[in-house]
Amino acid sequence: MNSILGSIPQIPLAHWIDNFVDWLVQFTGFFNAITNFIGSINNAFQWVFDLIPIWLFIVLVLALTYYINRDKQNWGLLIFEFLGLLMIWNLNFWRDMTQTLTLVLTSSLIALVIGIPLGILMAKSHTAEVILKPILDFMQTMPAFVYLIPAVALFGIGMVPGIVASVIFAMPPTVRMTNMGIREVPDELIEAADSFGSTEWQKLFKVELPIAKTSLMAGVNQSMMLSLSMVVIASMIGAMGLGTKVYFAVGRNDAGNGFAAGLAIVVLAIILDRLTQSLTRTRRKH
């Protein structure tokens, strides 16, 4: 058996991929434009976070949590947010936390802008669903480290390649949940909309998307969590934030600072998770 396999020439898969990446690198103007566009979004978020005083930022987070959960107040969450953000401030991780939050928000925003239309396309077209499903499977199952190699080759070092890798890794849940939410709209409502002479666009924006909001928000939640899971990996290619602190601590075998930075990531993850879950519950009630 080994002799038979040995006589078969090896598929030059790695060579083909290298040639494809080298071919893409030729379009430097295109990728520079994408880099500048994503960088401007990232810088805008960071400018806002740098502009807001720390104490005011904490107050705004607590006020947003209180408003979203106004029907059923969760005082435990408010206390956790207050103490958790104070701890991040006290440990001098605030700037790193806002950089991490910027990466998560930018990648989540881009994932939503691209993912929701793709999910709608999958729900409306069986052909699109057949084509996109294996692509989404590939995006979710490919190890995240692999995305860093072409990201650096095409976008250089810094926040932008980290954001691009995060978008690729975090976008599939948004696409899948949008597709599922629209497909689960009851046929009776679609028939009622048709009987009133609604166009396809009217059915989409006034019937299907409003009913699918719960699934959409669940996709937002998952995309945010997956983006946050990329912060340490993205730090390997120059993305700043709490992930950099963890990455440096690993290299120095510094358990204390590594655990402290990891705890700050946990606090941020829980806050984002609970806020998006609260939005989902609010949408469901309405």
Side-chain angles (χ1 to χ4, degrees):
M1 186 67 179
N2 292 332
S3 60
I4 296 176
L5 292 176
S7 63
I8 300 176
Q10 184 180 17
I11 300 175
L13 181 60
H15 181 67
W16 293 342
I17 295 174
D18 288 338
N19 288 339
F20 179 66
V21 173
D22 292 339
W23 177 75
L24 288 176
V25 170
Q26 298 176 5
F27 302 97
T28 54
F30 174 73
F31 291 108
N32 286 339
I34 295 178
T35 301
N36 293 333
F37 175 71
I38 296 176
S40 64
I41 298 175
N42 181 81
N43 293 335
F45 277 123
Q46 191 62 57
W47 178 80
V48 172
F49 293 145
D50 290 341
L51 186 66
I52 301 175
I54 297 177
W55 65 267
L56 180 58
F57 187 98
I58 296 175
V59 170
L60 291 175
V61 171
L62 295 176
L64 177 62
T65 304
Y66 182 87
Y67 176 77
I68 293 175
N69 296 281
R70 59 190 179 278
D71 295 332
K72 183 180 179 181
Q73 287 302 327
N74 189 345
W75 296 106
L77 177 60
L78 289 170
I79 294 172
F80 173 82
E81 290 180 347
F82 179 69
L83 296 178
L85 292 175
L86 282 182
M87 182 198 70
I88 293 174
W89 187 5
N90 177 262
L91 294 174
N92 294 321
F93 286 152
W94 191 265
R95 170 72 177 180
D96 301 291
M97 185 274 291
T98 57
Q99 289 175 329
T100 298
L101 182 59
T102 296
L103 186 150
V104 172
L105 292 179
T106 304
S107 57
S108 298
L109 177 63
I110 297 174
L112 290 177
V113 171
I114 300 175
I116 291 178
L118 287 178
I120 294 172
L121 179 63
M122 286 182 66
K124 297 294 183 179
S125 171
H126 177 70
T127 302
E129 184 180 27
V130 171
I131 295 173
L132 289 175
K133 266 191 174 181
I135 297 176
L136 295 176
D137 293 336
F138 175 86
M139 292 167 64
Q140 281 190 294
T141 54
M142 176 65 71
F145 285 95
V146 178
Y147 295 132
L148 303 184
I149 304 171
V152 171
L154 300 176
F155 300 100
I157 298 294
M159 291 290 284
V160 172
I163 292 172
V164 171
S166 299
V167 169
I168 297 173
F169 188 66
M171 187 171 61
T174 299
V175 181
R176 294 184 190 277
M177 297 302 288
T178 302
N179 176 35
M180 184 183 71
I182 293 177
R183 287 182 179 274
E184 289 181 348
V185 174
D187 293 336
E188 294 81 3
L189 294 178
I190 301 297
E191 293 173 359
D194 289 333
S195 66
F196 284 102
S198 300
T199 64
E200 290 295 326
W201 288 104
Q202 288 174 330
K203 283 192 296 183
L204 177 64
F205 287 103
K206 295 185 178 181
V207 178
E208 294 171 332
L209 286 180
I211 294 175
K213 279 181 179 178
T214 300
S215 295
L216 282 174
M217 291 307 301
V220 172
N221 178 275
Q222 293 183 25
S223 292
M224 276 194 169
M225 294 301 101
L226 289 175
S227 297
L228 194 55
S229 70
M230 284 288 292
V231 297
V232 178
I233 298 175
S235 68
M236 299 176 64
I237 54 175
M240 304 303 294
L242 293 169
T244 305
K245 299 292 185 182
V246 176
Y247 180 57
F248 286 169
V250 172
R252 298 168 183 166
N253 196 24
D254 188 353
N257 284 327
F259 184 83
L263 189 60
I265 294 175
V266 170
V267 171
L268 179 60
I270 292 176
I271 292 175
L272 291 175
D273 179 61
R274 297 301 185 270
L275 284 177
T276 51
Q277 284 187 9
S278 298
L279 284 172
T280 302
R281 289 194 297 269
T282 303
R283 296 293 186 184
R284 189 181 297 120
K285 290 177 182 178
H286 291 83

